[in-house]
Structures are given as C-alpha cells and as structure tokens.
Amino acid sequence: MPHIAVLGAGITGVTTAYALSRRGFDVTVIDRNRYPAMETSFANGGQLSASNAEVWNHWSTVLKGIKWMLKSDAPLLMNPTPSWHKYSWMGEFVGGIGGYRTNTIETTRLAIAARQHMFEIADREKIEFDLEKRGILHVYYDKPSFDYAGKVNAMLTEGGLDRRSVSQEEIKAIEPALVGNFYGGFFTPSDSTGDIHKFTRGLAKACMKRGVNFLFDTEIQRVESGESTTVYWKPAENPGSSSNVLTADGVVVCAGVGSRKIAGMLGDRINVYPVKGYSITVHLDDERSQNGAPWVSLLDDRAKIVTSRLGNDRFRVAGTAEFNGINRDIRHDRIKPLVDWVRTLFPEASTSRVVPWAGLRPMMPNMMPRIKKGCRPNVFYNTGHGHLGWTLSAATAELVAELVQQTPTSSGRRTA
C-alpha cells in the first residue's frame, strides 16, 4: 500500500490523514508539537461559517488597513517594518482584487460541501466537540454597512447559501442576550459552531485506530522528493542529535504558516503569510453568566469579532488580523478590545476568568486554499486556508486525497 507522509497535525493535516486512510493509504503524520491541534487549531473563533466566505481582496479592505495602521486596537493592524515577504504578499493581495466575486462564490460552495463532510465524520467516529447548530447572526450598526452586506449576501446566496436579512426586532428574538442598537443583520440558520481543538484531537484518535502513525515532537530539517519522498527530522527536545529519516511514496504539505518554507525545499512557491488572530475563552462560572452569554454565534462586522458558545460554561470570542510575521506574542492591547466588547454587549456575563490566546492564520494572497500538485513527483499541498481552516478543511481534505489517489507514485503504485 502506498505510504504518504502528511506534514502538520492541525485541522487540515488530520482531516487529510483521515481522508487518505479511508482510501487505503498507509499514512504518517509529522508535527513539531507534542499533541495534535496545538497551534492555529487550538482556540480559534469556533465558527463553521459559510456565511463568512467573503474573501478580503477588496479596495475597502486596503483603505481600512491604511486608516487603522497606527491604531494599536484596530481590527486590522500591520507592522510597517519592511519585509520582502510581507510587502510582496500585499502586492499579490491587491492583484487579487479582480477575483473578489468569483473567489467569494467558490469559497461559499466549498464551505457548504465541507459542512456535510464534517458532520458525517463526527457521526461516523462519535466525536464530541460542543457542536451547536443554531446558525450564525451577522449584525450591522448603520445603513451603509448593512447595504454593503446585502451585496455580499447576493454572492453568498449565488453560491448556494440560505441566508436572509433580519430587522433589529428579529435580531433580539434570535439572540435575546445580545445588548445593543443595530440597524439590521443577516442570519444563516445552516451555519454552526464547535470546538476545533476537541474535534481535531478526537479525529486524530480515530486516525490512530485506523492505523495512521503520528510522529510528534518532531522538527523537520529538510524534505526531498524524487523516486520517493524523504523527510529528515530530529526530536524537538534534542535538536543537536543526528537526523532521522522517514521515506514515503509521497507527501502532503499541511503545515500552516510553515508551508512556505517546506514548499521552498521542494521547488515550489506557496506564498502563505502568517496573519495573527486573537481569542479569549470566557469561563462562565455562575448561572448569571451562563444565562447572560449568547448561544447563537455572532459576527459583529464593525468590530470584526466572532463568537461561539462552547457548551454551558465556555464562551469563545475572537477577532483581529495582525500582519507581524512569525510572532505568537499575546498583546494586552489586542486582547482588551475583545474583553471590552463582551462587557458592552453581554453585561450579564462575567469576564473575571478569561483565557487569552493568539494564533497564526496561514493566508494566501487571494484568500483561497492551495490544493494542488507540486512541481516534483509525489508532492501535494493542502494549505493556506486563512481564517476558514475550520470551515473548509473537511472538503479540502477530500479534494487533496482524491488528487493523491488519482496520481500514480514514481514507483507506479496507486490505489485508484
């Protein structure tokens, strides 16, 4: 049976390993952390959101980015320190504005397909991950932003999404705990939320039962591909040791923000940039807080903040986009707006016990995930999902697994 190495044990890598295993491949997953889902898949906003499929390649995003550049608490923040990677990515981002409409519609379709795959996996493998199928509510404070959202909604519905506008009165009926004066909103009843960390850990266990091998605490030194694929690695806790070697018939790169470096080793250019996002997990330790936090997932368009309820006693709030390279520092001035937002819109929910987190979203300039063959034999990519990794991963895993299955290895072996 052909042996495939999957690089990365986040949501994308684990769903890919699962999809390959179900097609009969022998799979080894390699990750530098001790457990799966310890980086971007650890504490994201929790939304499985086809309704958030709008790509960012729009002149309004560029103008907002310039306006917010010097505001430390702005929803979008860019460190102006020169970096060829950052500014080349920005140039390609602007170049992708022409694909805004097409890519938004395509992302919507992919997200809807992913939803079905995700639910089927969870049912098949009996994975509990605080799933809530209560829909996602987008709220807007003024007519111009609401009208712009209407134009976006037309693209989402063209992509097959059931999404409708709602009045201020309907907003209150959908989520009674929400406090604020809103012009209107849009509601997507088919969207949902869940704990990405719980799901990925549960799916990794299911993969192990299927015979998938995981190499954790593993630092990849280099990757080579020819007649076969060779991964040179060292134990993360002992980088001074000699390299170990893993040989496989092929490799799928699912390494998040590390994908660019690995692609360079394999002769490819995957221009992923790390866009930092922050979240807080609000622990609802008393009945008043539990009743005062929302169950319906929200997206506040003005603040660029999303929420998800993770069981009875946890409330996740996430947002912001920070262009600052490979930097996982948790900054107080980026966390405080999230806490203040909760205090303003959900005053009955206590913020006395809040756990902050920061993660790096692997974003391509055109905001579309890269599912493709590499320039060398036996090399494949499933990476660059940006802020929609949780939403899209179950579908892109199927796409890349199908691509691997349809491609004979250099040794001529295949399972199709």
mmCIF file with all atom_site columns, all heavy atoms in Angstrom, residues 363-384:
data_model
loop_
_atom_site.group_PDB
_atom_site.id
_atom_site.type_symbol
_atom_site.label_atom_id
_atom_site.label_alt_id
_atom_site.label_comp_id
_atom_site.label_asym_id
_atom_site.label_entity_id
_atom_site.label_seq_id
_atom_site.pdbx_PDB_ins_code
_atom_site.Cartn_x
_atom_site.Cartn_y
_atom_site.Cartn_z
_atom_site.occupancy
_atom_site.B_iso_or_equiv
_atom_site.pdbx_formal_charge
_atom_site.auth_seq_id
_atom_site.auth_comp_id
_atom_site.auth_asym_id
_atom_site.auth_atom_id
_atom_site.pdbx_PDB_model_num
ATOM 1   N N   . MET A 1 363 ? -2.412  32.449 5.402   1.00 0.00 ? 363 MET A N   1
ATOM 2   C CA  . MET A 1 363 ? -3.219  33.078 4.351   1.00 0.00 ? 363 MET A CA  1
ATOM 3   C C   . MET A 1 363 ? -2.457  33.202 3.042   1.00 0.00 ? 363 MET A C   1
ATOM 4   O O   . MET A 1 363 ? -1.313  33.645 3.009   1.00 0.00 ? 363 MET A O   1
ATOM 5   C CB  . MET A 1 363 ? -3.674  34.470 4.800   1.00 0.00 ? 363 MET A CB  1
ATOM 6   C CG  . MET A 1 363 ? -4.783  34.429 5.827   1.00 0.00 ? 363 MET A CG  1
ATOM 7   S SD  . MET A 1 363 ? -5.550  36.048 6.019   1.00 0.00 ? 363 MET A SD  1
ATOM 8   C CE  . MET A 1 363 ? -6.943  35.618 7.081   1.00 0.00 ? 363 MET A CE  1
ATOM 9   N N   . MET A 1 364 ? -3.141  32.835 1.958   1.00 0.00 ? 364 MET A N   1
ATOM 10  C CA  . MET A 1 364 ? -2.650  33.096 0.614   1.00 0.00 ? 364 MET A CA  1
ATOM 11  C C   . MET A 1 364 ? -3.105  34.489 0.183   1.00 0.00 ? 364 MET A C   1
ATOM 12  O O   . MET A 1 364 ? -4.133  34.987 0.665   1.00 0.00 ? 364 MET A O   1
ATOM 13  C CB  . MET A 1 364 ? -3.187  32.048 -0.357  1.00 0.00 ? 364 MET A CB  1
ATOM 14  C CG  . MET A 1 364 ? -2.694  30.634 -0.087  1.00 0.00 ? 364 MET A CG  1
ATOM 15  S SD  . MET A 1 364 ? -0.904  30.460 -0.297  1.00 0.00 ? 364 MET A SD  1
ATOM 16  C CE  . MET A 1 364 ? -0.724  30.843 -2.044  1.00 0.00 ? 364 MET A CE  1
ATOM 17  N N   . PRO A 1 365 ? -2.403  35.138 -0.735  1.00 0.00 ? 365 PRO A N   1
ATOM 18  C CA  . PRO A 1 365 ? -2.785  36.493 -1.144  1.00 0.00 ? 365 PRO A CA  1
ATOM 19  C C   . PRO A 1 365 ? -4.192  36.589 -1.733  1.00 0.00 ? 365 PRO A C   1
ATOM 20  O O   . PRO A 1 365 ? -4.860  37.613 -1.570  1.00 0.00 ? 365 PRO A O   1
ATOM 21  C CB  . PRO A 1 365 ? -1.725  36.870 -2.187  1.00 0.00 ? 365 PRO A CB  1
ATOM 22  C CG  . PRO A 1 365 ? -0.549  36.021 -1.848  1.00 0.00 ? 365 PRO A CG  1
ATOM 23  C CD  . PRO A 1 365 ? -1.116  34.741 -1.334  1.00 0.00 ? 365 PRO A CD  1
ATOM 24  N N   . ASN A 1 366 ? -4.659  35.538 -2.422  1.00 0.00 ? 366 ASN A N   1
ATOM 25  C CA  . ASN A 1 366 ? -6.009  35.586 -2.991  1.00 0.00 ? 366 ASN A CA  1
ATOM 26  C C   . ASN A 1 366 ? -7.049  34.983 -2.054  1.00 0.00 ? 366 ASN A C   1
ATOM 27  O O   . ASN A 1 366 ? -8.214  34.826 -2.440  1.00 0.00 ? 366 ASN A O   1
ATOM 28  C CB  . ASN A 1 366 ? -6.050  34.877 -4.348  1.00 0.00 ? 366 ASN A CB  1
ATOM 29  C CG  . ASN A 1 366 ? -5.805  33.381 -4.237  1.00 0.00 ? 366 ASN A CG  1
ATOM 30  O OD1 . ASN A 1 366 ? -5.452  32.854 -3.180  1.00 0.00 ? 366 ASN A OD1 1
ATOM 31  N ND2 . ASN A 1 366 ? -5.984  32.685 -5.354  1.00 0.00 ? 366 ASN A ND2 1
ATOM 32  N N   . MET A 1 367 ? -6.640  34.630 -0.824  1.00 0.00 ? 367 MET A N   1
ATOM 33  C CA  . MET A 1 367 ? -7.522  34.119 0.228   1.00 0.00 ? 367 MET A CA  1
ATOM 34  C C   . MET A 1 367 ? -8.106  32.751 -0.083  1.00 0.00 ? 367 MET A C   1
ATOM 35  O O   . MET A 1 367 ? -9.049  32.308 0.579   1.00 0.00 ? 367 MET A O   1
ATOM 36  C CB  . MET A 1 367 ? -8.677  35.095 0.502   1.00 0.00 ? 367 MET A CB  1
ATOM 37  C CG  . MET A 1 367 ? -8.270  36.529 0.731   1.00 0.00 ? 367 MET A CG  1
ATOM 38  S SD  . MET A 1 367 ? -7.222  36.730 2.183   1.00 0.00 ? 367 MET A SD  1
ATOM 39  C CE  . MET A 1 367 ? -8.370  36.385 3.492   1.00 0.00 ? 367 MET A CE  1
ATOM 40  N N   . MET A 1 368 ? -7.554  32.049 -1.054  1.00 0.00 ? 368 MET A N   1
ATOM 41  C CA  . MET A 1 368 ? -8.050  30.727 -1.433  1.00 0.00 ? 368 MET A CA  1
ATOM 42  C C   . MET A 1 368 ? -7.053  29.657 -1.001  1.00 0.00 ? 368 MET A C   1
ATOM 43  O O   . MET A 1 368 ? -5.842  29.824 -1.162  1.00 0.00 ? 368 MET A O   1
ATOM 44  C CB  . MET A 1 368 ? -8.245  30.644 -2.951  1.00 0.00 ? 368 MET A CB  1
ATOM 45  C CG  . MET A 1 368 ? -9.225  31.661 -3.502  1.00 0.00 ? 368 MET A CG  1
ATOM 46  S SD  . MET A 1 368 ? -10.906 31.411 -2.910  1.00 0.00 ? 368 MET A SD  1
ATOM 47  C CE  . MET A 1 368 ? -11.361 29.933 -3.833  1.00 0.00 ? 368 MET A CE  1
ATOM 48  N N   . PRO A 1 369 ? -7.534  28.547 -0.440  1.00 0.00 ? 369 PRO A N   1
ATOM 49  C CA  . PRO A 1 369 ? -6.611  27.471 -0.060  1.00 0.00 ? 369 PRO A CA  1
ATOM 50  C C   . PRO A 1 369 ? -5.924  26.880 -1.285  1.00 0.00 ? 369 PRO A C   1
ATOM 51  O O   . PRO A 1 369 ? -6.503  26.870 -2.390  1.00 0.00 ? 369 PRO A O   1
ATOM 52  C CB  . PRO A 1 369 ? -7.520  26.445 0.622   1.00 0.00 ? 369 PRO A CB  1
ATOM 53  C CG  . PRO A 1 369 ? -8.881  26.711 0.064   1.00 0.00 ? 369 PRO A CG  1
ATOM 54  C CD  . PRO A 1 369 ? -8.937  28.188 -0.177  1.00 0.00 ? 369 PRO A CD  1
ATOM 55  N N   . ARG A 1 370 ? -4.706  26.394 -1.093  1.00 0.00 ? 370 ARG A N   1
ATOM 56  C CA  . ARG A 1 370 ? -3.970  25.777 -2.202  1.00 0.00 ? 370 ARG A CA  1
ATOM 57  C C   . ARG A 1 370 ? -4.082  24.271 -2.087  1.00 0.00 ? 370 ARG A C   1
ATOM 58  O O   . ARG A 1 370 ? -3.499  23.652 -1.182  1.00 0.00 ? 370 ARG A O   1
ATOM 59  C CB  . ARG A 1 370 ? -2.495  26.198 -2.186  1.00 0.00 ? 370 ARG A CB  1
ATOM 60  C CG  . ARG A 1 370 ? -2.244  27.674 -2.372  1.00 0.00 ? 370 ARG A CG  1
ATOM 61  C CD  . ARG A 1 370 ? -2.893  28.237 -3.626  1.00 0.00 ? 370 ARG A CD  1
ATOM 62  N NE  . ARG A 1 370 ? -2.375  27.644 -4.847  1.00 0.00 ? 370 ARG A NE  1
ATOM 63  C CZ  . ARG A 1 370 ? -1.324  28.102 -5.502  1.00 0.00 ? 370 ARG A CZ  1
ATOM 64  N NH1 . ARG A 1 370 ? -0.664  29.164 -5.048  1.00 0.00 ? 370 ARG A NH1 1
ATOM 65  N NH2 . ARG A 1 370 ? -0.926  27.519 -6.607  1.00 0.00 ? 370 ARG A NH2 1
ATOM 66  N N   . ILE A 1 371 ? -4.824  23.661 -3.004  1.00 0.00 ? 371 ILE A N   1
ATOM 67  C CA  . ILE A 1 371 ? -4.927  22.216 -3.115  1.00 0.00 ? 371 ILE A CA  1
ATOM 68  C C   . ILE A 1 371 ? -4.391  21.877 -4.489  1.00 0.00 ? 371 ILE A C   1
ATOM 69  O O   . ILE A 1 371 ? -5.070  22.121 -5.504  1.00 0.00 ? 371 ILE A O   1
ATOM 70  C CB  . ILE A 1 371 ? -6.384  21.724 -2.945  1.00 0.00 ? 371 ILE A CB  1
ATOM 71  C CG1 . ILE A 1 371 ? -6.963  22.195 -1.607  1.00 0.00 ? 371 ILE A CG1 1
ATOM 72  C CG2 . ILE A 1 371 ? -6.453  20.211 -3.021  1.00 0.00 ? 371 ILE A CG2 1
ATOM 73  C CD1 . ILE A 1 371 ? -7.822  23.411 -1.714  1.00 0.00 ? 371 ILE A CD1 1
ATOM 74  N N   . LYS A 1 372 ? -3.169  21.353 -4.543  1.00 0.00 ? 372 LYS A N   1
ATOM 75  C CA  . LYS A 1 372 ? -2.525  21.195 -5.847  1.00 0.00 ? 372 LYS A CA  1
ATOM 76  C C   . LYS A 1 372 ? -1.362  20.213 -5.755  1.00 0.00 ? 372 LYS A C   1
ATOM 77  O O   . LYS A 1 372 ? -0.885  19.874 -4.667  1.00 0.00 ? 372 LYS A O   1
ATOM 78  C CB  . LYS A 1 372 ? -1.994  22.540 -6.336  1.00 0.00 ? 372 LYS A CB  1
ATOM 79  C CG  . LYS A 1 372 ? -1.006  23.210 -5.386  1.00 0.00 ? 372 LYS A CG  1
ATOM 80  C CD  . LYS A 1 372 ? -0.324  24.421 -6.007  1.00 0.00 ? 372 LYS A CD  1
ATOM 81  C CE  . LYS A 1 372 ? 0.755   23.993 -6.953  1.00 0.00 ? 372 LYS A CE  1
ATOM 82  N NZ  . LYS A 1 372 ? 1.558   25.121 -7.480  1.00 0.00 ? 372 LYS A NZ  1
ATOM 83  N N   . LYS A 1 373 ? -0.896  19.792 -6.926  1.00 0.00 ? 373 LYS A N   1
ATOM 84  C CA  . LYS A 1 373 ? 0.337   19.032 -7.029  1.00 0.00 ? 373 LYS A CA  1
ATOM 85  C C   . LYS A 1 373 ? 1.526   19.988 -7.000  1.00 0.00 ? 373 LYS A C   1
ATOM 86  O O   . LYS A 1 373 ? 1.418   21.139 -7.444  1.00 0.00 ? 373 LYS A O   1
ATOM 87  C CB  . LYS A 1 373 ? 0.384   18.246 -8.340  1.00 0.00 ? 373 LYS A CB  1
ATOM 88  C CG  . LYS A 1 373 ? -0.680  17.175 -8.502  1.00 0.00 ? 373 LYS A CG  1
ATOM 89  C CD  . LYS A 1 373 ? -0.516  16.502 -9.862  1.00 0.00 ? 373 LYS A CD  1
ATOM 90  C CE  . LYS A 1 373 ? -1.607  15.488 -10.117 1.00 0.00 ? 373 LYS A CE  1
ATOM 91  N NZ  . LYS A 1 373 ? -1.467  14.857 -11.461 1.00 0.00 ? 373 LYS A NZ  1
ATOM 92  N N   . GLY A 1 374 ? 2.658   19.508 -6.508  1.00 0.00 ? 374 GLY A N   1
ATOM 93  C CA  . GLY A 1 374 ? 3.883   20.282 -6.579  1.00 0.00 ? 374 GLY A CA  1
ATOM 94  C C   . GLY A 1 374 ? 4.561   20.075 -7.916  1.00 0.00 ? 374 GLY A C   1
ATOM 95  O O   . GLY A 1 374 ? 4.113   19.295 -8.770  1.00 0.00 ? 374 GLY A O   1
ATOM 96  N N   . CYS A 1 375 ? 5.664   20.782 -8.131  1.00 0.00 ? 375 CYS A N   1
ATOM 97  C CA  . CYS A 1 375 ? 6.381   20.661 -9.399  1.00 0.00 ? 375 CYS A CA  1
ATOM 98  C C   . CYS A 1 375 ? 7.163   19.355 -9.484  1.00 0.00 ? 375 CYS A C   1
ATOM 99  O O   . CYS A 1 375 ? 7.524   18.914 -10.574 1.00 0.00 ? 375 CYS A O   1
ATOM 100 C CB  . CYS A 1 375 ? 7.314   21.852 -9.602  1.00 0.00 ? 375 CYS A CB  1
ATOM 101 S SG  . CYS A 1 375 ? 8.710   21.928 -8.456  1.00 0.00 ? 375 CYS A SG  1
ATOM 102 N N   . ARG A 1 376 ? 7.441   18.717 -8.337  1.00 0.00 ? 376 ARG A N   1
ATOM 103 C CA  . ARG A 1 376 ? 8.155   17.446 -8.313  1.00 0.00 ? 376 ARG A CA  1
ATOM 104 C C   . ARG A 1 376 ? 7.163   16.306 -8.108  1.00 0.00 ? 376 ARG A C   1
ATOM 105 O O   . ARG A 1 376 ? 6.069   16.516 -7.578  1.00 0.00 ? 376 ARG A O   1
ATOM 106 C CB  . ARG A 1 376 ? 9.210   17.460 -7.208  1.00 0.00 ? 376 ARG A CB  1
ATOM 107 C CG  . ARG A 1 376 ? 10.294  18.495 -7.438  1.00 0.00 ? 376 ARG A CG  1
ATOM 108 C CD  . ARG A 1 376 ? 11.312  18.510 -6.323  1.00 0.00 ? 376 ARG A CD  1
ATOM 109 N NE  . ARG A 1 376 ? 12.261  19.609 -6.503  1.00 0.00 ? 376 ARG A NE  1
ATOM 110 C CZ  . ARG A 1 376 ? 13.186  19.946 -5.602  1.00 0.00 ? 376 ARG A CZ  1
ATOM 111 N NH1 . ARG A 1 376 ? 13.266  19.279 -4.456  1.00 0.00 ? 376 ARG A NH1 1
ATOM 112 N NH2 . ARG A 1 376 ? 14.001  20.962 -5.836  1.00 0.00 ? 376 ARG A NH2 1
ATOM 113 N N   . PRO A 1 377 ? 7.554   15.110 -8.524  1.00 0.00 ? 377 PRO A N   1
ATOM 114 C CA  . PRO A 1 377 ? 6.640   13.973 -8.360  1.00 0.00 ? 377 PRO A CA  1
ATOM 115 C C   . PRO A 1 377 ? 6.303   13.723 -6.889  1.00 0.00 ? 377 PRO A C   1
ATOM 116 O O   . PRO A 1 377 ? 7.126   13.968 -5.994  1.00 0.00 ? 377 PRO A O   1
ATOM 117 C CB  . PRO A 1 377 ? 7.442   12.789 -8.941  1.00 0.00 ? 377 PRO A CB  1
ATOM 118 C CG  . PRO A 1 377 ? 8.503   13.403 -9.781  1.00 0.00 ? 377 PRO A CG  1
ATOM 119 C CD  . PRO A 1 377 ? 8.826   14.725 -9.160  1.00 0.00 ? 377 PRO A CD  1
ATOM 120 N N   . ASN A 1 378 ? 5.096   13.256 -6.646  1.00 0.00 ? 378 ASN A N   1
ATOM 121 C CA  . ASN A 1 378 ? 4.685   12.766 -5.321  1.00 0.00 ? 378 ASN A CA  1
ATOM 122 C C   . ASN A 1 378 ? 4.522   13.865 -4.275  1.00 0.00 ? 378 ASN A C   1
ATOM 123 O O   . ASN A 1 378 ? 4.439   13.565 -3.079  1.00 0.00 ? 378 ASN A O   1
ATOM 124 C CB  . ASN A 1 378 ? 5.679   11.724 -4.787  1.00 0.00 ? 378 ASN A CB  1
ATOM 125 C CG  . ASN A 1 378 ? 6.117   10.733 -5.840  1.00 0.00 ? 378 ASN A CG  1
ATOM 126 O OD1 . ASN A 1 378 ? 5.303   10.253 -6.614  1.00 0.00 ? 378 ASN A OD1 1
ATOM 127 N ND2 . ASN A 1 378 ? 7.409   10.436 -5.875  1.00 0.00 ? 378 ASN A ND2 1
ATOM 128 N N   . VAL A 1 379 ? 4.468   15.129 -4.698  1.00 0.00 ? 379 VAL A N   1
ATOM 129 C CA  . VAL A 1 379 ? 4.336   16.244 -3.763  1.00 0.00 ? 379 VAL A CA  1
ATOM 130 C C   . VAL A 1 379 ? 2.967   16.893 -3.961  1.00 0.00 ? 379 VAL A C   1
ATOM 131 O O   . VAL A 1 379 ? 2.565   17.197 -5.090  1.00 0.00 ? 379 VAL A O   1
ATOM 132 C CB  . VAL A 1 379 ? 5.450   17.299 -3.973  1.00 0.00 ? 379 VAL A CB  1
ATOM 133 C CG1 . VAL A 1 379 ? 5.219   18.517 -3.085  1.00 0.00 ? 379 VAL A CG1 1
ATOM 134 C CG2 . VAL A 1 379 ? 6.813   16.681 -3.698  1.00 0.00 ? 379 VAL A CG2 1
ATOM 135 N N   . PHE A 1 380 ? 2.278   17.119 -2.839  1.00 0.00 ? 380 PHE A N   1
ATOM 136 C CA  . PHE A 1 380 ? 0.941   17.705 -2.880  1.00 0.00 ? 380 PHE A CA  1
ATOM 137 C C   . PHE A 1 380 ? 0.806   18.735 -1.758  1.00 0.00 ? 380 PHE A C   1
ATOM 138 O O   . PHE A 1 380 ? 1.500   18.663 -0.747  1.00 0.00 ? 380 PHE A O   1
ATOM 139 C CB  . PHE A 1 380 ? -0.136  16.618 -2.708  1.00 0.00 ? 380 PHE A CB  1
ATOM 140 C CG  . PHE A 1 380 ? -0.026  15.491 -3.697  1.00 0.00 ? 380 PHE A CG  1
ATOM 141 C CD1 . PHE A 1 380 ? 0.798   14.404 -3.435  1.00 0.00 ? 380 PHE A CD1 1
ATOM 142 C CD2 . PHE A 1 380 ? -0.729  15.531 -4.892  1.00 0.00 ? 380 PHE A CD2 1
ATOM 143 C CE1 . PHE A 1 380 ? 0.913   13.356 -4.346  1.00 0.00 ? 380 PHE A CE1 1
ATOM 144 C CE2 . PHE A 1 380 ? -0.625  14.498 -5.809  1.00 0.00 ? 380 PHE A CE2 1
ATOM 145 C CZ  . PHE A 1 380 ? 0.202   13.410 -5.543  1.00 0.00 ? 380 PHE A CZ  1
ATOM 146 N N   . TYR A 1 381 ? -0.127  19.670 -1.950  1.00 0.00 ? 381 TYR A N   1
ATOM 147 C CA  . TYR A 1 381 ? -0.343  20.733 -0.958  1.00 0.00 ? 381 TYR A CA  1
ATOM 148 C C   . TYR A 1 381 ? -1.827  20.832 -0.604  1.00 0.00 ? 381 TYR A C   1
ATOM 149 O O   . TYR A 1 381 ? -2.702  20.729 -1.471  1.00 0.00 ? 381 TYR A O   1
ATOM 150 C CB  . TYR A 1 381 ? 0.131   22.082 -1.509  1.00 0.00 ? 381 TYR A CB  1
ATOM 151 C CG  . TYR A 1 381 ? 1.621   22.135 -1.737  1.00 0.00 ? 381 TYR A CG  1
ATOM 152 C CD1 . TYR A 1 381 ? 2.160   21.781 -2.976  1.00 0.00 ? 381 TYR A CD1 1
ATOM 153 C CD2 . TYR A 1 381 ? 2.486   22.502 -0.712  1.00 0.00 ? 381 TYR A CD2 1
ATOM 154 C CE1 . TYR A 1 381 ? 3.532   21.803 -3.187  1.00 0.00 ? 381 TYR A CE1 1
ATOM 155 C CE2 . TYR A 1 381 ? 3.859   22.527 -0.921  1.00 0.00 ? 381 TYR A CE2 1
ATOM 156 C CZ  . TYR A 1 381 ? 4.375   22.166 -2.151  1.00 0.00 ? 381 TYR A CZ  1
ATOM 157 O OH  . TYR A 1 381 ? 5.732   22.181 -2.347  1.00 0.00 ? 381 TYR A OH  1
ATOM 158 N N   . ASN A 1 382 ? -2.073  21.023 0.680   1.00 0.00 ? 382 ASN A N   1
ATOM 159 C CA  . ASN A 1 382 ? -3.407  21.349 1.187   1.00 0.00 ? 382 ASN A CA  1
ATOM 160 C C   . ASN A 1 382 ? -3.175  22.346 2.315   1.00 0.00 ? 382 ASN A C   1
ATOM 161 O O   . ASN A 1 382 ? -3.050  21.981 3.479   1.00 0.00 ? 382 ASN A O   1
ATOM 162 C CB  . ASN A 1 382 ? -4.123  20.093 1.688   1.00 0.00 ? 382 ASN A CB  1
ATOM 163 C CG  . ASN A 1 382 ? -5.527  20.393 2.203   1.00 0.00 ? 382 ASN A CG  1
ATOM 164 O OD1 . ASN A 1 382 ? -6.102  21.438 1.887   1.00 0.00 ? 382 ASN A OD1 1
ATOM 165 N ND2 . ASN A 1 382 ? -6.077  19.492 2.993   1.00 0.00 ? 382 ASN A ND2 1
ATOM 166 N N   . THR A 1 383 ? -3.111  23.608 1.958   1.00 0.00 ? 383 THR A N   1
ATOM 167 C CA  . THR A 1 383 ? -2.675  24.615 2.930   1.00 0.00 ? 383 THR A CA  1
ATOM 168 C C   . THR A 1 383 ? -3.202  25.991 2.516   1.00 0.00 ? 383 THR A C   1
ATOM 169 O O   . THR A 1 383 ? -3.839  26.147 1.484   1.00 0.00 ? 383 THR A O   1
ATOM 170 C CB  . THR A 1 383 ? -1.139  24.619 3.035   1.00 0.00 ? 383 THR A CB  1
ATOM 171 O OG1 . THR A 1 383 ? -0.727  25.430 4.149   1.00 0.00 ? 383 THR A OG1 1
ATOM 172 C CG2 . THR A 1 383 ? -0.478  25.132 1.760   1.00 0.00 ? 383 THR A CG2 1
ATOM 173 N N   . GLY A 1 384 ? -2.952  26.993 3.370   1.00 0.00 ? 384 GLY A N   1
ATOM 174 C CA  . GLY A 1 384 ? -3.318  28.367 3.025   1.00 0.00 ? 384 GLY A CA  1
ATOM 175 C C   . GLY A 1 384 ? -4.786  28.687 3.198   1.00 0.00 ? 384 GLY A C   1
ATOM 176 O O   . GLY A 1 384 ? -5.332  29.522 2.483   1.00 0.00 ? 384 GLY A O   1
#
